[in-house]
Amino acid sequence: MDDLLPGMLHLARDGEETLTRQLTDQLRGLITKGRLAPGQRLPSSRQLAQSLGLSRNTVSFAIEQLSAEGYLTLSAGRRPVVAEGLSLDRRKSSPRNSRAGSERINLSAWASSLQRSVWPPIHKERPRPFQPGLADEREFPHDEWSRCLRRAARNAPLRRGRPINHPPLQEALLRHLAVHRGIKAKARQILFVPTAQAGLALVANALLEPDDHAWVESPGYAGANVAFEAAGAIISAIPLDAHGMTIAARKETPRLIFVTPSHQYPTGRLMPIGRRLELLRFAEAAGACIIEDDYDGEFHYEARPVAALQGLAASPRVFYLGTFSKATYADIRIGYIVVPEALIDIFELAQRHMGSLTPITMQDALAEFISAGAYLGHIRKMTRLYKGRRDRMLQALAAEAGDRLTVETPAGGMQLLARCRPQSNDQQLSARLLEAGVVSRALTSMLYHRSGERGLFLGFAAWNDKEIDQAARILGQILR
Amino acid sequence: MDDLLPGMLHLARDGEETLTRQLTDQLRGLITKGRLAPGQRLPSSRQLAQSLGLSRNTVSFAIEQLSAEGYLTLSAGRRPVVAEGLSLDRRKSSPRNSRAGSERINLSAWASSLQRSVWPPIHKERPRPFQPGLADEREFPHDEWSRCLRRAARNAPLRRGRPINHPPLQEALLRHLAVHRGIKAKARQILFVPTAQAGLALVANALLEPDDHAWVESPGYAGANVAFEAAGAIISAIPLDAHGMTIAARKETPRLIFVTPSHQYPTGRLMPIGRRLELLRFAEAAGACIIEDDYDGEFHYEARPVAALQGLAASPRVFYLGTFSKATYADIRIGYIVVPEALIDIFELAQRHMGSLTPITMQDALAEFISAGAYLGHIRKMTRLYKGRRDRMLQALAAEAGDRLTVETPAGGMQLLARCRPQSNDQQLSARLLEAGVVSRALTSMLYHRSGERGLFLGFAAWNDKEIDQAARILGQILR
């Protein structure tokens, strides 16, 4: 053997790898493949160095590395020995358990259910009209934002302390939310999470026990359903009327209620103050909490935005959920929750346990972007632009689809619901549109109770007039 | 009333707020406070404009806004009426449920348990010696990184498609991991999550069912325990020997096994190849998956880093978990998991459902930082620096603590375990050190089985020689 080993090694003196590394890798390979058998003794490092024409150091390093990794056993004054038990051969594994050892990995019930999940609709390609939920990122001041980011990254070494939620952003956002959304809170109540969905998961995990009942709007935002179901809750789908979620005592008392009062998702309806107060009274009496998702509350076209539910609540039962991804750009990946003051510490701990943290550099850049007025300036510019696009969209749909679609003018937001004839096949329609390059979401995919309502959910914010007209023409052709 | 209303309004013509806004807010306030009663008729907007000396438009806007919000009811040709049901008074809520309506919010069992959680140790102040787990961020090339970030943010409008895991970063990181950590994977198998903890939560939720058994090392990393417990699993604490986690069939078959084979956390021990293969065979036979946490696998001081378990596995049962926060800076908030190829789609869906996404701008900046060689350059520089600090720390501890502490030289990483006398009170020692400005973690807080082992977990990487000497002196004084 001592004579054979050098012949089994092929070291390239002009290779990219060092000789130590080549020798280590090749020796390890010979052991792994069984060409050097367990228990077998290697030549001494002196001998090996000599026969390979290497320095003693080179060989020693390789031997020590392989000993550290456990491939060789060393003992003082003796030659290295190939270690025992280095085979992955499955025949040696315990026969008792061998049936369990299939290649298949058992997923949890939750992960298995994802295979059937229709949420979220995934569009990996470049966005196309009328994909809902998108801001027009072409209009975002990327240069100004990139300067904020650079400055925040350069200032990182100067920052002291390590809060997970950056006080300057909490303060800047609170000033904005207090004035524009009627939020009443202390800055410390605002927590930053990677996405609004992570915020839903956080609240769901912190409040829901398995088999608790959670109310969602129907039609409504499926992201809430999946977050509550993941926490083990039973979903109660609550139908809407013209004022949004209908409130009435039902068989099961909810623990958590999810609503979108600013513009109901997807109908765009505003929940008026009477219903808001009714909802708050109901939640108070039932001991339920409310998640108020103000997903695109920044954009209002008719009047001043209606103040958020959170600011109305006398009791601290409302969790206000928002995101920067509509008023800046989708990739920013910062959402936020305003939590009740008494729960700040618990929710920050929950954030750490779930790992739902966002980079302070991003938070710092956003704080500057808001404080410098760039955030509000962008919102104002986009509000004018989006209002024009909404009107263009209403015109184009009226012209191309006539009375085949009924559209309620949304008072704000980035999308609208165009209703089709009851009981018609909106899924098929949506699929045909997609083939023709027009993205939509069928209303039935957002309905969680039996209902004949049908329609298409269409985004208007991210497309210019020409794109809107073109896509509306395609929609009209397919409808006829 | 028609005559009284103007006197209840106080409009400032030189105020910061517009007159419309002042009028809207004050009318809303009067309704909310009950000074305008439900059902009460307001003057017509023409009358109100006249008596207040305002333009008709100003008053109309305010009335329409309050109607949109639901405070007023409008009907054609009639004067506005204050809406009904605008009180939050709790006496009107259903008496049946009134007991549930306490101010207290019921947290889930998980959230309640957080109140007792000792993990993670939170140090909100500026880091102090010897806080474990910290890189020396003073040495990070913040300027170069901020240029990468700025460039990535400016290039955002050019990016097409919207994957949640950025292919250029997947490819750059895979090249690094393949060469330096022996990872065998396709680039698509790498998913980016906000933190390593979010990665643990993701794998735990996807694999564990309530009452499944999960193995963790004892002593070991508590972040794994809390993630598995949150998923409902039962933790089995597996004692270590000199080679790391001891493998033997136990009463309950584990579904998931968490190990830190590169440098065991906290002992710093390397798991040799024999034990690695034994673990893989065991997992294969048991049908269990393995999470290999390579939390600071970048830093090795004695020999070349030992290849990761992931690259050894013939079966796709190993999830490789890593983070950029040790080799760059803590705030970067990007961790990664290498998942089995067959599970890429499910895990990407799981990421979306949990909202565990990171900004593509950050991912893109990192891809450039790695591809330009800055990442490896920084790791090499820090490896030299940290090795020197480890040695300094060993010297300083030997000089100041003598045989009161027994330290195994860690072959890599950023921290070491200094053992105290068995059964001594390491928690009290750690608390006394903290008072004196020296941060440590008691070994008992990382032990999950009965054991007399005691010690202090100390970070050496983030402190210069002077800081190490000073803190070691304090440690010595307190020990004596």
Side-chain angles (χ1 to χ4, degrees):
Chain A
M1 177 60 217
D2 289 13
D3 305 327
L4 285 178
L5 182 56
M8 297 158 85
L9 298 165
H10 307 281
L11 305 178
R13 259 146 239 272
D14 51 358
E16 279 192 8
E17 301 282 2
T18 63
L19 287 167
T20 313
R21 177 143 189 185
Q22 291 181 56
L23 181 60
T24 315
D25 289 347
Q26 291 185 23
L27 283 174
R28 190 194 299 103
L30 292 172
I31 296 171
T32 311
K33 294 192 189 93
R35 298 188 59 195
L36 293 175
Q40 189 173 331
R41 270 195 197 282
L42 261 51
S44 72
S45 56
R46 195 178 45 78
Q47 290 168 320
L48 201 54
Q50 225 164 27
S51 53
L52 292 168
L54 296 174
S55 85
R56 177 84 183 270
N57 261 352
T58 301
V59 177
S60 296
F61 269 127
I63 299 289
E64 275 161 31
Q65 169 74 24
L66 291 171
S67 157
E69 295 183 13
Y71 287 93
L72 295 176
T73 310
L74 300 184
S75 42
R78 311 203 59 181
R79 290 185 294 149
V81 179
V82 176
E84 307 276 352
L86 299 187
S87 161
L88 254 179
D89 192 331
R90 270 170 229 154
R91 282 166 298 178
K92 292 185 187 167
S93 65
S94 151
R96 186 174 61 85
N97 283 323
S98 62
R99 288 198 48 199
S102 81
E103 291 290 308
R104 227 180 95 69
I105 293 175
N106 292 315
L107 295 171
S108 67
W110 172 74
S112 304
S113 77
L114 294 180
Q115 283 158 321
R116 300 182 300 275
S117 175
V118 295
W119 188 90
I122 294 168
H123 300 282
K124 283 194 178 164
E125 320 76 39
R126 184 176 167 177
R128 287 176 298 177
F130 294 123
Q131 185 178 329
L134 291 181
D136 192 343
E137 302 187 354
R138 296 171 291 197
E139 300 289 337
F140 183 71
H142 292 281
D143 273 2
E144 190 167 358
W145 169 242
S146 67
R147 281 193 297 272
C148 291
L149 256 184
R150 180 180 184 180
R151 201 151 25 212
R154 290 179 76 163
N155 288 339
L158 305 175
R159 283 197 289 272
R160 295 283 165 251
R162 339 190 122 246
I164 55 176
N165 299 300
H166 193 48
L169 181 58
Q170 291 176 313
E171 282 147 25
L173 179 59
L174 179 64
R175 280 192 295 273
H176 178 86
L177 292 177
V179 173
H180 297 279
R181 309 298 302 117
I183 295 299
K184 291 184 187 141
K186 295 189 173 146
R188 293 195 313 121
Q189 288 175 245
I190 308 181
L191 313 183
F192 301 103
V193 285
T195 59
Q197 192 62 26
L200 284 170
L202 187 64
V203 178
N205 287 348
L207 298 184
L208 293 171
E209 283 295 305
D211 300 331
D212 274 349
H213 287 257
W215 281 13
V216 300
E217 299 163 322
S218 177
Y221 176 63
N225 302 34
V226 304
F228 301 161
E229 282 169 342
I234 299 167
I235 303 294
S236 303
I238 310 296
L240 311 175
D241 64 14
H243 290 171
M245 181 182 266
T246 52
I247 317 294
R250 288 175 170 83
K251 210 174 58 188
E252 311 286 358
T253 304
R255 178 90 165 242
L256 189 56
I257 301 173
F258 176 84
V259 280
T260 52
S262 297
H263 329 116
Q264 199 275 334
Y265 187 103
T267 62
R269 285 176 195 154
L270 172 79
M271 182 182 281
I273 182 70
R275 182 64 57 84
R276 286 174 191 237
L277 294 172
E278 192 185 342
L279 175 62
L280 288 171
R281 282 192 301 265
F282 176 84
E284 183 66 24
C289 288
I290 295 173
I291 298 181
E292 173 181 27
D293 184 0
D294 204 9
Y295 60 101
D296 60 5
E298 294 87 1
F299 303 111
H300 291 267
Y301 310 131
E302 301 311 323
R304 231 169 20 102
V306 172
L309 207 54
Q310 194 271 355
L312 288 174
S315 75
R317 301 203 162 272
V318 181
F319 293 75
Y320 179 85
L321 180 68
T323 172
F324 287 102
S325 68
K326 309 298 178 190
T328 65
Y329 66 114
D331 175 51
I332 195 159
R333 301 290 183 223
I334 303 191
Y336 50 89
I337 339 172
V338 183
V339 302
E341 194 181 355
L343 299 183
I344 295 171
D345 290 346
I346 279 290
F347 268 76
E348 287 203 339
L349 250 180
Q351 274 190 282
R352 292 178 191 264
H353 276 237
M354 294 175 70
S356 271
L357 308 182
T358 66
I360 296 293
T361 296
M362 296 282 281
Q363 294 186 37
D364 198 40
L366 255 178
E368 189 193 336
F369 192 75
I370 296 175
S371 300
Y375 184 63
L376 188 58
H378 183 61
I379 288 175
R380 291 204 165 125
K381 173 183 155 192
M382 299 315 279
T383 300
R384 283 191 298 278
L385 192 66
Y386 292 167
K387 182 182 183 187
R389 289 175 177 183
R390 179 201 61 173
D391 295 341
R392 183 79 171 211
M393 179 86 161
L394 292 169
Q395 273 174 23
L397 290 180
E400 300 290 344
D403 55 6
R404 286 183 179 84
L405 293 177
T406 313
V407 184
E408 266 174 67
T409 304
M414 298 156 65
Q415 46 228 351
L416 54 78
L417 181 64
R419 289 176 186 273
C420 315
R421 225 171 307 117
Q423 309 294 356
S424 61
N425 191 335
D426 56 6
Q427 306 257 11
Q428 196 179 61
L429 179 59
S430 181
R432 286 179 58 201
L433 281 168
L434 190 62
E435 272 171 38
V438 176
V439 183
S440 64
R441 208 166 308 157
L443 177 56
T444 43
S445 71
M446 295 176 277
L447 276 168
Y448 315 110
H449 72 297
R450 285 177 71 92
S451 163
E453 297 169 88
R454 297 295 181 263
L456 295 174
F457 192 45
L458 305 168
F460 55 76
W463 329 106
N464 62 34
D465 288 354
K466 204 176 132 201
E467 291 165 325
I468 289 174
D469 291 348
Q470 278 177 349
R473 207 165 305 131
I474 295 172
L475 175 56
Q477 284 161 2
I478 288 182
L479 271 173
R480 281 191 296 269
Chain B
M1 174 64 215
D2 290 13
D3 304 326
L4 285 179
L5 181 56
M8 297 159 85
L9 297 164
H10 306 281
L11 304 177
R13 261 147 238 274
D14 50 359
E16 278 192 9
E17 301 282 359
T18 64
L19 287 166
T20 313
R21 178 144 189 184
Q22 291 179 56
L23 181 60
T24 316
D25 289 347
Q26 292 185 23
L27 283 173
R28 192 194 297 103
L30 292 171
I31 298 171
T32 311
K33 294 191 189 94
R35 297 188 58 194
L36 294 175
Q40 188 172 330
R41 270 197 199 282
L42 261 49
S44 73
S45 56
R46 195 180 43 79
Q47 290 169 317
L48 202 54
Q50 229 165 23
S51 53
L52 291 169
L54 297 174
S55 85
R56 177 84 183 271
N57 259 353
T58 300
V59 177
S60 297
F61 269 127
I63 300 287
E64 275 162 29
Q65 169 75 23
L66 291 171
S67 157
E69 296 183 13
Y71 286 93
L72 295 175
T73 311
L74 299 184
S75 43
R78 312 202 57 183
R79 290 185 295 151
V81 179
V82 176
E84 308 273 354
L86 299 187
S87 160
L88 254 179
D89 193 331
R90 267 169 231 152
R91 282 164 298 177
K92 293 185 189 166
S93 65
S94 152
R96 187 174 59 87
N97 283 322
S98 61
R99 288 199 47 201
S102 79
E103 291 289 307
R104 228 181 94 69
I105 294 176
N106 291 315
L107 296 171
S108 66
W110 172 74
S112 303
S113 77
L114 294 181
Q115 283 157 320
R116 299 183 301 275
S117 176
V118 294
W119 188 91
I122 295 169
H123 300 283
K124 283 194 177 163
E125 319 77 38
R126 181 177 169 179
R128 287 175 297 177
F130 295 122
Q131 186 179 329
L134 292 181
D136 192 342
E137 302 187 354
R138 297 171 290 196
E139 300 289 337
F140 183 70
H142 292 281
D143 274 1
E144 189 166 359
W145 168 243
S146 67
R147 281 193 297 273
C148 291
L149 255 184
R150 180 179 185 181
R151 201 150 27 212
R154 292 180 75 162
N155 289 340
L158 306 175
R159 282 197 290 272
R160 296 283 164 251
R162 340 190 121 246
I164 55 176
N165 299 299
H166 193 48
L169 181 58
Q170 292 176 314
E171 282 146 25
L173 179 58
L174 179 65
R175 280 192 295 272
H176 178 87
L177 291 178
V179 172
H180 297 280
R181 309 296 303 118
I183 294 299
K184 290 183 187 145
K186 295 186 174 149
R188 292 195 313 118
Q189 289 174 246
I190 307 181
L191 313 183
F192 301 104
V193 284
T195 59
Q197 192 63 24
L200 284 170
L202 188 65
V203 178
N205 287 348
L207 298 184
L208 293 172
E209 283 293 307
D211 300 330
D212 274 349
H213 287 256
W215 281 13
V216 300
E217 299 162 321
S218 178
Y221 176 63
N225 302 38
V226 303
F228 301 162
E229 281 168 343
I234 299 166
I235 303 294
S236 303
I238 309 296
L240 312 175
D241 64 14
H243 291 170
M245 181 182 265
T246 50
I247 317 294
R250 288 174 171 82
K251 209 173 61 189
E252 310 287 358
T253 304
R255 179 89 164 244
L256 189 55
I257 302 172
F258 176 84
V259 279
T260 51
S262 295
H263 331 114
Q264 200 274 335
Y265 186 102
T267 61
R269 284 175 195 154
L270 172 79
M271 183 183 280
I273 183 69
R275 180 65 56 84
R276 287 175 188 236
L277 295 172
E278 192 185 341
L279 175 62
L280 288 170
R281 281 193 303 264
F282 175 84
E284 183 66 24
C289 288
I290 296 172
I291 298 180
E292 173 181 26
D293 185 0
D294 206 9
Y295 60 100
D296 59 3
E298 294 86 1
F299 303 110
H300 291 265
Y301 309 130
E302 301 311 323
R304 230 166 26 97
V306 171
L309 208 54
Q310 193 272 356
L312 287 174
S315 75
R317 301 202 162 273
V318 181
F319 293 74
Y320 178 86
L321 180 69
T323 173
F324 286 103
S325 68
K326 308 297 180 192
T328 65
Y329 64 116
D331 176 53
I332 195 159
R333 300 293 183 219
I334 302 190
Y336 50 88
I337 337 171
V338 182
V339 302
E341 193 180 356
L343 299 183
I344 295 171
D345 289 347
I346 280 289
F347 267 76
E348 287 203 339
L349 251 180
Q351 273 189 284
R352 291 179 191 264
H353 276 236
M354 294 176 70
S356 271
L357 308 181
T358 65
I360 296 294
T361 296
M362 295 284 281
Q363 294 185 36
D364 199 40
L366 254 180
E368 190 194 333
F369 192 76
I370 296 174
S371 301
Y375 183 63
L376 189 58
H378 184 61
I379 289 175
R380 289 203 167 125
K381 172 183 155 191
M382 300 315 280
T383 301
R384 281 192 299 276
L385 192 65
Y386 291 167
K387 182 180 181 187
R389 290 174 176 183
R390 179 200 64 173
D391 295 340
R392 184 77 172 213
M393 178 88 161
L394 292 169
Q395 272 173 23
L397 290 179
E400 301 290 344
D403 54 7
R404 287 183 177 82
L405 293 177
T406 314
V407 185
E408 267 174 65
T409 305
M414 298 155 66
Q415 45 228 352
L416 55 78
L417 181 64
R419 291 178 185 270
C420 315
R421 225 169 308 114
Q423 309 293 358
S424 60
N425 192 335
D426 54 7
Q427 306 256 12
Q428 197 180 61
L429 180 58
S430 181
R432 286 179 59 200
L433 281 169
L434 190 61
E435 273 171 38
V438 176
V439 183
S440 64
R441 209 167 305 158
L443 177 56
T444 43
S445 71
M446 297 176 275
L447 276 169
Y448 315 110
H449 72 297
R450 285 178 68 93
S451 162
E453 297 169 86
R454 296 296 180 265
L456 296 174
F457 192 44
L458 305 167
F460 54 76
W463 329 106
N464 62 34
D465 289 354
K466 203 177 132 201
E467 291 164 324
I468 290 174
D469 291 348
Q470 278 176 348
R473 207 164 306 130
I474 296 171
L475 175 56
Q477 283 160 1
I478 289 182
L479 272 172
R480 280 190 298 269

